[in-house]
Protein backbone atom coordinates (compact mmCIF):
# COMPACT_ATOMS: atom_id res chain seq x y z
CA UNK A 1 0.00 0.00 0.00
CA UNK A 2 2.71 2.48 1.02
CA UNK A 3 4.96 1.70 -1.95
CA UNK A 4 2.16 2.21 -4.47
CA UNK A 5 0.96 5.44 -2.86
CA UNK A 6 4.48 6.85 -2.51
CA UNK A 7 5.28 6.05 -6.14
CA UNK A 8 2.06 7.73 -7.25
CA UNK A 9 2.83 10.77 -5.10
CA UNK A 10 6.26 11.33 -6.61
CA UNK A 11 4.96 10.69 -10.13
CA UNK A 12 2.22 13.27 -9.60
CA UNK A 13 4.73 15.71 -8.10
CA UNK A 14 7.10 15.34 -11.05
CA UNK A 15 4.27 15.64 -13.54
CA UNK A 16 2.90 18.75 -11.84
CA UNK A 17 6.30 20.40 -11.87
CA UNK A 18 6.39 19.99 -15.64
CA UNK A 19 2.99 21.58 -16.21
CA UNK A 20 2.52 25.26 -16.85
CA UNK A 21 2.18 27.02 -13.50
CA UNK A 22 -0.75 29.02 -14.78
CA UNK A 23 -2.80 25.92 -15.59
CA UNK A 24 -5.93 26.08 -13.42
CA UNK A 25 -6.58 23.19 -11.07
CA UNK A 26 -9.95 21.44 -11.14
CA UNK A 27 -10.03 21.24 -7.36
CA UNK A 28 -8.08 23.37 -4.85
CA UNK A 29 -6.73 20.30 -3.06
CA UNK A 30 -5.14 19.02 -6.30
CA UNK A 31 -2.78 21.97 -6.60
CA UNK A 32 0.84 20.85 -6.36
CA UNK A 33 3.18 23.50 -5.00
CA UNK A 34 6.39 21.66 -5.89
CA UNK A 35 8.82 19.59 -3.85
CA UNK A 36 10.40 22.44 -1.87
CA UNK A 37 7.09 23.93 -0.73
CA UNK A 38 5.67 20.48 -0.01
CA UNK A 39 8.63 19.69 2.24
CA UNK A 40 8.37 22.97 4.15
CA UNK A 41 4.62 22.98 4.64
CA UNK A 42 4.52 19.22 5.21
CA UNK A 43 7.06 19.48 8.02
CA UNK A 44 4.94 22.23 9.55
CA UNK A 45 2.03 19.77 9.69
CA UNK A 46 4.25 17.22 11.47
CA UNK A 47 5.32 19.74 14.10
CA UNK A 48 1.70 20.72 14.66
CA UNK A 49 0.48 17.19 15.39
CA UNK A 50 3.60 15.59 16.84
CA UNK A 51 2.65 16.26 20.45
CA UNK A 52 -0.78 14.72 19.92
CA UNK A 53 0.39 11.60 18.11
CA UNK A 54 2.92 10.65 20.79
CA UNK A 55 0.52 11.34 23.69
CA UNK A 56 -1.51 8.13 23.26
CA UNK A 57 1.45 5.68 23.16
CA UNK A 58 3.01 7.53 26.12
CA UNK A 59 -0.15 7.11 28.20
CA UNK A 60 -0.75 3.50 27.17
CA UNK A 61 2.89 2.54 27.59
CA UNK A 62 2.96 3.90 31.11
CA UNK A 63 -0.36 2.23 31.94
CA UNK A 64 0.97 -1.11 30.66
CA UNK A 65 4.17 -0.74 32.70
CA UNK A 66 6.48 -0.73 29.67
CA UNK A 67 10.10 0.34 29.98
CA UNK A 68 11.20 3.70 28.48
CA UNK A 69 12.81 1.88 25.53
CA UNK A 70 9.60 -0.05 24.85
CA UNK A 71 7.56 3.14 25.10
CA UNK A 72 9.93 4.62 22.53
CA UNK A 73 9.17 1.69 20.21
CA UNK A 74 5.46 2.24 20.79
CA UNK A 75 5.86 5.89 19.76
CA UNK A 76 7.87 4.89 16.69
CA UNK A 77 5.16 2.44 15.65
CA UNK A 78 2.50 5.14 16.03
CA UNK A 79 4.49 7.56 13.87
CA UNK A 80 5.01 4.94 11.18
CA UNK A 81 1.32 3.87 11.15
CA UNK A 82 0.18 7.50 11.14
CA UNK A 83 2.39 8.21 8.14
CA UNK A 84 0.97 5.29 6.18
CA UNK A 85 -2.59 6.31 7.10
CA UNK A 86 -1.95 9.92 6.04
CA UNK A 87 -0.56 8.88 2.67
CA UNK A 88 -3.51 6.55 2.09
CA UNK A 89 -6.02 9.27 3.00
CA UNK A 90 -4.43 12.00 0.88
CA UNK A 91 -3.26 10.05 -2.18
CA UNK A 92 -5.89 7.32 -2.13
CA UNK A 93 -6.41 3.85 -3.50
CA UNK A 94 -9.54 2.65 -5.32
CA UNK A 95 -12.39 2.97 -2.78
CA UNK A 96 -10.00 4.17 -0.06
CA UNK A 97 -8.97 7.73 0.76
CA UNK A 98 -10.89 11.00 0.46
CA UNK A 99 -7.91 12.71 -1.24
CA UNK A 100 -8.17 15.76 1.02
CA UNK A 101 -5.46 17.49 3.11
CA UNK A 102 -6.09 15.44 6.26
CA UNK A 103 -3.35 14.25 8.61
CA UNK A 104 -4.04 10.87 10.24
CA UNK A 105 -2.71 9.64 13.54
CA UNK A 106 -3.54 7.69 16.70
CA UNK A 107 -7.04 8.65 17.84
CA UNK A 108 -7.19 10.14 21.33
CA UNK A 109 -10.89 9.33 21.78
CA UNK A 110 -10.19 5.74 22.82
CA UNK A 111 -7.44 6.33 25.38
CA UNK A 112 -9.60 5.67 28.45
CA UNK A 113 -11.09 2.53 26.92
CA UNK A 114 -7.69 1.18 25.85
CA UNK A 115 -6.18 1.86 29.28
CA UNK A 116 -9.05 -0.13 30.84
CA UNK A 117 -8.49 -3.02 28.41
CA UNK A 118 -4.75 -2.95 29.15
CA UNK A 119 -5.47 -3.51 32.82
CA UNK A 120 -7.37 -6.73 32.05
CA UNK A 121 -5.58 -8.24 29.07
CA UNK A 122 -2.48 -6.21 28.33
CA UNK A 123 -1.56 -4.51 25.06
CA UNK A 124 -2.27 -7.75 23.17
CA UNK A 125 -5.97 -7.45 24.09
CA UNK A 126 -6.00 -3.81 23.00
CA UNK A 127 -4.52 -4.69 19.61
CA UNK A 128 -7.00 -7.53 19.11
CA UNK A 129 -9.96 -5.37 20.05
CA UNK A 130 -8.80 -2.58 17.71
CA UNK A 131 -8.45 -5.00 14.78
CA UNK A 132 -11.89 -6.61 15.16
CA UNK A 133 -13.72 -3.35 15.91
CA UNK A 134 -12.04 -1.64 12.94
CA UNK A 135 -13.06 -4.49 10.66
CA UNK A 136 -16.68 -4.10 11.77
CA UNK A 137 -16.34 -0.35 11.24
CA UNK A 138 -15.07 -0.99 7.72
CA UNK A 139 -18.18 -3.05 6.99
CA UNK A 140 -20.61 -0.36 8.14
CA UNK A 141 -18.96 2.64 6.42
CA UNK A 142 -21.54 2.57 3.56
CA UNK A 143 -24.16 3.59 6.12
CA UNK A 144 -22.13 6.54 7.33
CA UNK A 145 -21.29 7.64 3.78
CA UNK A 146 -24.99 8.26 3.09
CA UNK A 147 -25.45 10.89 5.77
CA UNK A 148 -23.99 13.93 3.98
CA UNK A 149 -27.47 15.49 3.68
CA UNK A 150 -27.59 15.53 7.46
CA UNK A 151 -24.42 17.69 7.54
CA UNK A 152 -25.51 21.10 6.18
CA UNK A 153 -23.50 24.24 7.11
CA UNK A 154 -25.58 24.36 10.31
CA UNK A 155 -24.09 21.06 11.51
CA UNK A 156 -20.58 21.44 10.06
CA UNK A 157 -20.31 24.95 11.48
CA UNK A 158 -21.20 23.67 14.95
CA UNK A 159 -18.70 20.85 14.69
CA UNK A 160 -15.86 23.04 13.37
CA UNK A 161 -16.45 25.59 16.12
CA UNK A 162 -16.50 22.85 18.76
CA UNK A 163 -13.29 21.33 17.41
CA UNK A 164 -11.51 24.65 17.92
CA UNK A 165 -12.96 25.23 21.37
CA UNK A 166 -12.24 21.70 22.62
CA UNK A 167 -8.62 22.00 21.55
CA UNK A 168 -8.05 25.16 23.60
CA UNK A 169 -7.30 23.21 26.81
CA UNK A 170 -4.59 21.36 24.86
CA UNK A 171 -2.98 24.66 23.88
CA UNK A 172 -3.23 25.86 27.48
CA UNK A 173 -1.55 22.72 28.84
CA UNK A 174 1.18 23.01 26.23
CA UNK A 175 1.73 26.66 27.15
CA UNK A 176 2.09 25.66 30.80
CA UNK A 177 4.76 23.09 29.96
CA UNK A 178 2.87 20.00 28.81
CA UNK A 179 3.66 17.69 31.73
CA UNK A 180 1.41 18.42 34.70
CA UNK A 181 3.75 16.45 37.00
CA UNK A 182 6.81 18.52 36.12
CA UNK A 183 7.96 21.00 38.80
CA UNK A 184 7.91 23.90 36.32
CA UNK A 185 4.39 23.18 35.04
CA UNK A 186 2.52 26.46 34.84
CA UNK A 187 5.61 28.53 35.60
CA UNK A 188 5.87 32.06 34.27
CA UNK A 189 8.93 31.02 32.25
CA UNK A 190 6.84 28.53 30.25
CA UNK A 191 3.94 30.92 29.80
CA UNK A 192 6.28 33.74 28.74
CA UNK A 193 7.92 31.43 26.18
CA UNK A 194 4.47 30.57 24.83
CA UNK A 195 3.59 34.27 24.70
CA UNK A 196 6.79 35.09 22.78
CA UNK A 197 6.03 32.33 20.29
CA UNK A 198 2.50 33.69 19.86
CA UNK A 199 3.85 37.20 19.20
CA UNK A 200 6.30 35.80 16.63
CA UNK A 201 3.44 34.02 14.84
CA UNK A 202 1.46 37.27 14.69
CA UNK A 203 4.42 39.35 13.51
CA UNK A 204 5.37 36.86 10.79
CA UNK A 205 1.74 36.69 9.69
CA UNK A 206 1.73 40.45 9.20
CA UNK A 207 4.81 40.68 6.97
CA UNK A 208 4.33 41.45 3.30
CA UNK A 209 5.77 38.16 2.05
CA UNK A 210 3.04 35.58 1.44
CA UNK A 211 5.55 32.71 1.74
CA UNK A 212 6.78 33.87 5.16
CA UNK A 213 3.22 34.49 6.30
CA UNK A 214 2.15 30.96 5.34
CA UNK A 215 5.18 29.50 7.13
CA UNK A 216 4.59 31.64 10.21
CA UNK A 217 3.71 28.65 12.42
CA UNK A 218 6.79 26.64 11.44
CA UNK A 219 9.15 29.61 11.66
CA UNK A 220 7.73 30.65 15.02
CA UNK A 221 8.23 27.13 16.39
CA UNK A 222 11.86 27.09 15.15
CA UNK A 223 12.60 30.57 16.55
CA UNK A 224 10.83 29.75 19.81
CA UNK A 225 12.86 26.56 20.16
CA UNK A 226 16.12 28.47 19.56
CA UNK A 227 15.11 31.00 22.23
CA UNK A 228 14.34 28.13 24.62
CA UNK A 229 17.72 26.55 23.85
CA UNK A 230 19.50 29.82 24.60
CA UNK A 231 17.62 30.12 27.91
CA UNK A 232 18.33 26.52 28.87
CA UNK A 233 14.66 25.53 28.65
CA UNK A 234 15.23 22.60 26.29
CA UNK A 235 17.86 19.93 25.94
CA UNK A 236 19.07 18.26 22.75
CA UNK A 237 21.77 16.20 24.48
CA UNK A 238 19.66 13.03 24.47
CA UNK A 239 19.08 13.15 20.73
CA UNK A 240 22.13 10.95 20.11
CA UNK A 241 21.04 8.33 22.64
CA UNK A 242 19.35 5.22 21.29
CA UNK A 243 19.32 3.69 17.80
CA UNK A 244 19.34 5.88 14.73
CA UNK A 245 17.38 3.40 12.60
CA UNK A 246 14.66 1.04 13.80
CA UNK A 247 12.62 -0.93 11.31
CA UNK A 248 9.07 -1.69 12.46
CA UNK A 249 8.60 -5.21 13.79
CA UNK A 250 5.46 -7.16 12.94
CA UNK A 251 3.47 -7.92 16.11
CA UNK A 252 6.38 -6.77 18.27
CA UNK A 253 4.18 -6.98 21.40
CA UNK A 254 3.05 -10.53 20.65
CA UNK A 255 0.06 -11.80 18.74
CA UNK A 256 -3.25 -10.05 19.53
CA UNK A 257 -5.79 -11.66 21.79
CA UNK A 258 -9.53 -11.30 21.36
CA UNK A 259 -11.87 -10.62 24.28
CA UNK A 260 -15.56 -10.06 23.66
CA UNK A 261 -15.97 -7.30 26.25
CA UNK A 262 -12.88 -5.49 24.95
CA UNK A 263 -14.14 -5.72 21.37
CA UNK A 264 -17.55 -4.31 22.29
CA UNK A 265 -15.96 -1.42 24.19
CA UNK A 266 -13.61 -0.69 21.32
CA UNK A 267 -16.43 -0.80 18.78
CA UNK A 268 -18.09 2.07 20.66
CA UNK A 269 -14.81 3.96 20.25
CA UNK A 270 -14.85 3.13 16.53
CA UNK A 271 -18.37 4.58 16.24
CA UNK A 272 -17.09 7.77 17.87
CA UNK A 273 -14.12 7.78 15.48
CA UNK A 274 -16.43 7.46 12.48
CA UNK A 275 -18.49 10.45 13.68
CA UNK A 276 -15.38 12.55 14.33
CA UNK A 277 -13.74 11.60 11.03
CA UNK A 278 -16.95 12.38 9.13
CA UNK A 279 -17.01 15.79 10.80
CA UNK A 280 -13.32 16.42 10.03
CA UNK A 281 -13.68 15.42 6.37
CA UNK A 282 -16.68 17.69 5.93
CA UNK A 283 -14.98 20.45 7.92
CA UNK A 284 -11.84 20.49 5.80
CA UNK A 285 -14.00 20.34 2.67
CA UNK A 286 -15.84 23.43 3.90
CA UNK A 287 -12.60 25.23 4.77
CA UNK A 288 -10.91 24.65 1.40
CA UNK A 289 -14.23 25.11 -0.45
CA UNK A 290 -14.36 21.79 -2.28
CA UNK A 291 -17.21 19.35 -2.78
CA UNK A 292 -17.53 16.36 -0.45
CA UNK A 293 -20.24 13.95 -1.55
CA UNK A 294 -21.30 10.65 -0.02
CA UNK A 295 -18.87 8.66 -2.16
CA UNK A 296 -15.91 10.77 -1.12
CA UNK A 297 -16.95 10.64 2.51
CA UNK A 298 -17.24 6.85 2.26
CA UNK A 299 -13.76 6.57 0.73
CA UNK A 300 -12.37 8.63 3.61
CA UNK A 301 -14.09 6.53 6.25
CA UNK A 302 -12.92 3.30 4.62
CA UNK A 303 -9.34 4.60 4.64
CA UNK A 304 -9.73 5.45 8.31
CA UNK A 305 -10.98 1.96 9.17
CA UNK A 306 -8.43 0.15 6.97
CA UNK A 307 -5.62 2.13 8.61
CA UNK A 308 -7.00 1.28 12.05
CA UNK A 309 -7.19 -2.39 11.04
CA UNK A 310 -3.57 -2.51 9.82
CA UNK A 311 -2.01 -0.29 12.53
CA UNK A 312 -1.99 -3.02 15.24
CA UNK A 313 0.19 -5.15 12.96
CA UNK A 314 2.96 -2.59 13.52
CA UNK A 315 2.07 -2.11 17.19
CA UNK A 316 -0.15 0.98 16.92
CA UNK A 317 -3.82 1.75 17.50
CA UNK A 318 -6.95 3.33 15.95
CA UNK A 319 -6.28 6.03 13.37
CA UNK A 320 -8.27 9.22 12.91
CA UNK A 321 -7.98 12.67 11.35
CA UNK A 322 -6.18 15.27 13.47
CA UNK A 323 -8.34 18.32 14.13
CA UNK A 324 -5.35 20.58 14.89
CA UNK A 325 -4.08 20.08 11.36
CA UNK A 326 -7.46 21.10 10.00
CA UNK A 327 -6.75 24.34 11.85
CA UNK A 328 -3.36 24.63 10.19
CA UNK A 329 -5.02 24.36 6.77
CA UNK A 330 -7.32 27.20 7.77
CA UNK A 331 -4.46 29.36 9.11
CA UNK A 332 -2.05 28.96 6.20
CA UNK A 333 -4.58 28.74 3.38
CA UNK A 334 -2.51 25.89 1.91
CA UNK A 335 -5.13 23.51 0.52
CA UNK A 336 -2.90 21.05 -1.34
CA UNK A 337 -3.19 17.39 -0.39
CA UNK A 338 0.36 16.88 -1.65
CA UNK A 339 1.61 19.03 1.22
CA UNK A 340 -0.09 16.75 3.74
CA UNK A 341 1.07 13.64 1.87
CA UNK A 342 4.61 14.95 2.30
CA UNK A 343 3.88 15.28 6.00
CA UNK A 344 2.89 11.60 5.90
CA UNK A 345 6.26 10.76 4.37
CA UNK A 346 7.94 12.67 7.20
CA UNK A 347 6.00 10.60 9.72
CA UNK A 348 7.09 7.37 8.02
CA UNK A 349 10.71 8.55 8.12
CA UNK A 350 10.34 9.50 11.78
CA UNK A 351 8.97 6.01 12.38
CA UNK A 352 12.06 4.51 10.75
CA UNK A 353 14.53 6.99 12.28
CA UNK A 354 13.95 7.38 16.01
CA UNK A 355 16.76 9.94 16.13
CA UNK A 356 14.62 12.36 14.10
CA UNK A 357 11.73 11.73 16.43
CA UNK A 358 13.95 12.64 19.36
CA UNK A 359 14.87 15.93 17.65
CA UNK A 360 11.22 16.89 17.21
CA UNK A 361 10.45 15.72 20.75
CA UNK A 362 12.97 18.26 22.03
CA UNK A 363 10.72 21.14 20.92
CA UNK A 364 9.38 22.62 24.18
CA UNK A 365 5.69 22.17 24.81
CA UNK A 366 5.41 25.85 25.68
CA UNK A 367 6.48 26.76 22.15
CA UNK A 368 3.79 24.48 20.75
CA UNK A 369 1.29 26.10 23.10
CA UNK A 370 1.93 29.59 21.75
CA UNK A 371 1.47 28.40 18.18
CA UNK A 372 -1.49 26.21 19.14
CA UNK A 373 -3.44 29.17 20.46
CA UNK A 374 -3.56 30.63 16.94
CA UNK A 375 -4.13 27.26 15.28
CA UNK A 376 -7.02 26.13 17.43
CA UNK A 377 -8.58 29.58 17.59
CA UNK A 378 -8.58 29.67 13.81
CA UNK A 379 -10.55 26.42 13.74
CA UNK A 380 -13.23 27.95 15.95
CA UNK A 381 -13.25 31.13 13.84
CA UNK A 382 -13.71 29.04 10.69
CA UNK A 383 -16.73 27.38 12.28
CA UNK A 384 -18.21 30.75 13.21
CA UNK A 385 -17.72 31.89 9.62
CA UNK A 386 -19.60 28.80 8.43
CA UNK A 387 -22.41 29.44 10.91
CA UNK A 388 -22.73 32.98 9.55
CA UNK A 389 -24.03 31.45 6.29
CA UNK A 390 -26.93 29.75 8.08
CA UNK A 391 -30.46 31.14 7.76
CA UNK A 392 -31.88 31.90 11.19
CA UNK A 393 -35.17 33.49 10.04
CA UNK A 394 -38.40 31.79 11.10
CA UNK A 395 -36.78 28.52 12.19
CA UNK A 396 -35.13 26.86 15.18
CA UNK A 397 -31.56 26.97 13.88
CA UNK A 398 -30.41 29.36 16.61
CA UNK A 399 -31.67 26.97 19.27
CA UNK A 400 -29.89 24.09 17.52
CA UNK A 401 -26.60 26.02 17.53
CA UNK A 402 -26.98 27.11 21.16
CA UNK A 403 -27.90 23.65 22.46
CA UNK A 404 -25.26 21.78 20.47
CA UNK A 405 -22.42 24.12 21.42
CA UNK A 406 -23.48 24.03 25.06
CA UNK A 407 -23.68 20.25 25.00
CA UNK A 408 -20.24 20.04 23.40
CA UNK A 409 -18.72 22.26 26.08
CA UNK A 410 -19.91 20.09 28.99
CA UNK A 411 -16.94 17.66 28.96
CA UNK A 412 -14.57 20.59 28.47
CA UNK A 413 -15.96 22.64 31.35
CA UNK A 414 -16.40 19.60 33.61
CA UNK A 415 -14.30 16.57 32.54
CA UNK A 416 -15.83 14.43 35.32
CA UNK A 417 -19.43 15.14 34.27
CA UNK A 418 -20.00 11.66 32.79
CA UNK A 419 -18.14 9.64 35.43
CA UNK A 420 -21.34 8.08 36.80
CA UNK A 421 -22.94 7.40 33.42
CA UNK A 422 -22.82 3.96 31.74
CA UNK A 423 -19.40 3.29 30.25
CA UNK A 424 -20.68 3.15 26.67
CA UNK A 425 -22.44 6.51 27.08
CA UNK A 426 -19.46 8.16 28.73
CA UNK A 427 -17.14 6.87 26.00
CA UNK A 428 -19.22 8.58 23.32
CA UNK A 429 -20.04 11.85 25.06
CA UNK A 430 -16.78 12.40 26.91
CA UNK A 431 -15.54 13.88 23.62
CA UNK A 432 -16.85 17.40 23.16
CA UNK A 433 -16.62 16.98 19.39
CA UNK A 434 -18.74 13.83 19.44
CA UNK A 435 -21.21 15.39 21.88
CA UNK A 436 -21.75 18.45 19.72
CA UNK A 437 -21.88 16.40 16.51
CA UNK A 438 -24.48 13.95 17.86
CA UNK A 439 -26.64 16.74 19.28
CA UNK A 440 -26.40 18.89 16.14
CA UNK A 441 -27.30 15.98 13.86
CA UNK A 442 -30.19 14.88 16.07
CA UNK A 443 -31.68 18.36 16.48
CA UNK A 444 -31.25 19.15 12.79
CA UNK A 445 -33.20 15.99 11.94
CA UNK A 446 -35.91 16.69 14.52
CA UNK A 447 -36.50 20.34 13.61
CA UNK A 448 -35.47 20.60 9.95
CA UNK A 449 -36.18 17.16 8.48
CA UNK A 450 -39.08 15.91 10.61
CA UNK A 451 -41.10 19.10 10.25
CA UNK A 452 -44.41 17.54 11.28
CA UNK A 453 -45.58 19.12 14.52
CA UNK A 454 -43.33 22.18 14.27
CA UNK A 455 -45.03 25.27 15.68
CA UNK A 456 -45.46 28.38 13.55
CA UNK A 457 -45.04 30.38 16.76
CA UNK A 458 -41.30 30.50 17.34
CA UNK A 459 -39.84 30.35 20.83
CA UNK A 460 -39.06 33.54 22.72
CA UNK A 461 -35.32 32.96 22.12
CA UNK A 462 -35.77 32.87 18.35
CA UNK A 463 -38.29 35.69 18.24
CA UNK A 464 -35.97 37.87 20.26
CA UNK A 465 -33.29 37.64 17.61
CA UNK A 466 -35.48 38.67 14.67
CA UNK A 467 -36.22 42.23 13.60
CA UNK A 468 -40.02 42.62 13.68
CA UNK A 469 -42.24 45.29 12.09
CA UNK A 470 -45.86 45.65 13.12
CA UNK A 471 -48.51 45.61 10.42
CA UNK A 472 -49.56 49.15 11.20
CA UNK A 473 -45.96 50.26 10.58
CA UNK A 474 -46.23 49.38 6.88
CA UNK A 475 -49.99 49.51 6.26
CA UNK A 476 -49.85 53.05 4.83
CA UNK A 477 -47.02 52.34 2.34
CA UNK A 478 -47.97 52.35 -1.34
CA UNK A 479 -46.69 50.14 -4.12
CA UNK A 480 -43.36 51.52 -5.32
CA UNK A 481 -42.48 53.43 -2.14
CA UNK A 482 -38.82 53.21 -1.21
CA UNK A 483 -36.32 54.53 1.34
CA UNK A 484 -33.14 56.37 0.32
CA UNK A 485 -30.67 58.03 2.68
CA UNK A 486 -33.19 57.88 5.51
CA UNK A 487 -36.03 59.50 3.53
CA UNK A 488 -39.18 57.94 2.10
CA UNK A 489 -40.08 58.49 -1.57
CA UNK A 490 -43.04 57.36 -3.64
CA UNK A 491 -42.86 55.61 -7.01
CA UNK A 492 -42.48 59.00 -8.78
CA UNK A 493 -39.54 60.07 -6.62
CA UNK A 494 -41.54 62.58 -4.57
CA UNK A 495 -40.56 62.68 -0.91
CA UNK A 496 -43.24 61.53 1.51
CA UNK A 497 -43.12 63.28 4.91
CA UNK A 498 -42.54 60.95 7.85
CA UNK A 499 -44.42 61.87 11.03
CA UNK A 500 -43.20 61.11 14.51
CA UNK A 501 -46.43 59.39 15.60
CA UNK A 502 -49.62 58.07 14.05
CA UNK A 503 -51.17 60.93 12.04
CA UNK A 504 -54.60 60.04 13.35
CA UNK A 505 -53.35 60.24 16.93
CA UNK A 506 -51.86 63.66 16.17
CA UNK A 507 -55.14 64.86 14.71
CA UNK A 508 -57.00 63.62 17.75
CA UNK A 509 -54.57 65.39 20.04
CA UNK A 510 -54.98 68.61 18.10
CA UNK A 511 -58.73 68.39 18.33
CA UNK A 512 -58.47 67.93 22.07
CA UNK A 513 -56.13 70.88 22.43
CA UNK A 514 -52.92 68.92 22.92
CA UNK A 515 -51.26 69.82 19.63
CA UNK A 516 -48.76 72.10 21.28
CA UNK A 517 -47.19 69.22 23.11
CA UNK A 518 -46.81 66.97 20.08
CA UNK A 519 -44.74 67.85 17.00
CA UNK A 520 -46.55 67.33 13.72
CA UNK A 521 -43.55 66.15 11.70
CA UNK A 522 -40.14 64.74 12.27
CA UNK A 523 -37.20 63.02 10.53
Amino acid sequence: MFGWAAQRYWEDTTLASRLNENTPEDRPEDENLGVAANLAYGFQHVLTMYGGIIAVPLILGQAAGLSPNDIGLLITASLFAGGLATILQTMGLPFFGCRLPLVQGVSFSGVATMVAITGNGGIEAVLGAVMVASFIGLLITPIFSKITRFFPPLVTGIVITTIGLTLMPVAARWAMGGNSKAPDFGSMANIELAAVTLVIVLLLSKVGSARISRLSILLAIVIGTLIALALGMTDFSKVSEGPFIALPTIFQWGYPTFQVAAIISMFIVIMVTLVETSADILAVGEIIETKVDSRRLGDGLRADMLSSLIAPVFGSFTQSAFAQNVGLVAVTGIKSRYVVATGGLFLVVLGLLPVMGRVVAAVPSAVLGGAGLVLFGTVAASGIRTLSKVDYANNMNLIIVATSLGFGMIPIASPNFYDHFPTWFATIFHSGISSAAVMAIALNIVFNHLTAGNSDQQSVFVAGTERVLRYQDVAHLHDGDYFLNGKLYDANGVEVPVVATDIHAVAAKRQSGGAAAIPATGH
Side-chain angles (χ1 to χ4, degrees), residues 368-496:
L368 296 176
L373 188 66
V374 179
L375 285 175
F376 306 154
T378 303
V379 178
S382 297
I384 294 171
R385 182 178 60 186
T386 300
L387 288 174
S388 68
K389 303 175 184 178
V390 176
D391 180 17
Y392 297 98
N394 300 320
N395 56 48
M396 296 295 290
N397 285 343
L398 187 70
I399 297 299
I400 296 174
V401 172
T403 305
S404 301
L405 288 178
F407 201 64
M409 290 300 99
I410 288 177
I412 306 304
S414 181
N416 300 324
F417 187 87
Y418 295 110
D419 283 0
H420 299 293
F421 283 71
T423 302
W424 66 268
F425 189 94
T427 300
I428 296 174
F429 291 98
H430 186 71
S431 166
I433 300 171
S434 297
S435 298
V438 170
M439 182 61 73
I441 294 169
L443 293 181
N444 180 55
I445 292 173
V446 169
F447 288 110
N448 293 330
H449 289 270
L450 304 177
T451 57
N454 283 3
S455 172
D456 58 356
Q457 302 296 321
Q458 302 301 314
S459 80
V460 64
F461 303 105
V462 178
T465 65
E466 299 295 329
R467 182 185 178 194
V468 178
L469 290 176
R470 296 172 299 174
Y471 174 77
Q472 54 265 37
D473 294 331
V474 296
H476 299 289
L477 293 177
H478 294 173
D479 187 27
D481 289 352
Y482 63 94
F483 275 95
L484 180 64
N485 297 326
K487 296 182 179 181
L488 177 64
Y489 297 89
D490 63 17
N492 297 319
V494 178
E495 182 179 354
V496 179

Side-chain angles (χ1 to χ4, degrees), residues 496-503 506 519-523:
V496 179
V498 178
V499 298
T501 61
D502 192 323
I503 190 67
V506 173
T521 61
H523 297 287

Side-chain angles (χ1 to χ4, degrees), residues 232-284:
M233 296 179 66
T234 188
D235 183 13
F236 284 87
S237 62
K238 296 183 179 179
V239 169
S240 60
E241 297 180 3
F244 279 69
I245 300 176
L247 297 176
T249 303
I250 304 300
F251 293 123
Q252 60 182 330
W253 311 112
Y255 289 102
T257 59
F258 306 99
Q259 301 177 359
V260 175
I263 292 171
I264 293 174
S265 298
M266 188 53 60
F267 178 67
I268 296 173
V269 173
I270 288 296
M271 295 291 287
V272 174
T273 301
L274 286 171
V275 172
E276 290 185 342
T277 300
S278 297
D280 287 332
I281 291 174
L282 292 165
V284 78

Side-chain angles (χ1 to χ4, degrees), residues 27 29-30 90-91 99-101 335-341:
R27 302 182 305 184
E29 65 270 24
D30 292 332
T90 54
M91 300 308 298
R99 293 178 173 86
L100 286 170
K335 305 174 181 180
S336 173
R337 60 191 175 98
Y338 296 100
V339 165
V340 177

Side-chain angles (χ1 to χ4, degrees), residues 155-245:
V155 174
T156 57
I158 291 171
V159 173
I160 297 171
T161 303
T162 306
I163 289 173
L165 295 177
T166 55
L167 288 172
M168 281 303 172
V170 176
R173 286 193 296 270
W174 282 350
M176 297 173 72
N179 182 6
S180 60
K181 297 181 179 179
D184 64 341
F185 182 73
S187 66
M188 286 305 301
N190 282 330
I191 294 176
E192 288 169 356
L193 179 59
V196 169
T197 305
L198 171 61
V199 171
I200 294 172
V201 172
L202 298 177
L203 291 176
L204 293 177
S205 299
K206 187 177 174 58
V207 299
S209 171
R211 183 176 297 273
I212 292 178
S213 180
R214 288 178 172 181
L215 285 171
S216 59
I217 299 295
L218 173 60
L219 294 175
I221 291 175
V222 172
I223 296 172
T225 301
L226 293 176
I227 293 174
L229 184 63
L231 296 176
M233 296 179 66
T234 188
D235 183 13
F236 284 87
S237 62
K238 296 183 179 179
V239 169
S240 60
E241 297 180 3
F244 279 69
I245 300 176

Side-chain angles (χ1 to χ4, degrees), residues 326-374:
V326 175
L328 185 59
V329 172
V331 169
T332 62
I334 301 298
K335 305 174 181 180
S336 173
R337 60 191 175 98
Y338 296 100
V339 165
V340 177
T342 305
L345 291 176
F346 272 120
L347 290 175
V348 171
V349 171
L350 289 174
L352 298 175
L353 300 174
V355 62
M356 295 299 296
R358 293 192 292 270
V359 170
V360 179
V363 175
S365 296
V367 171
L368 296 176
L373 188 66
V374 179

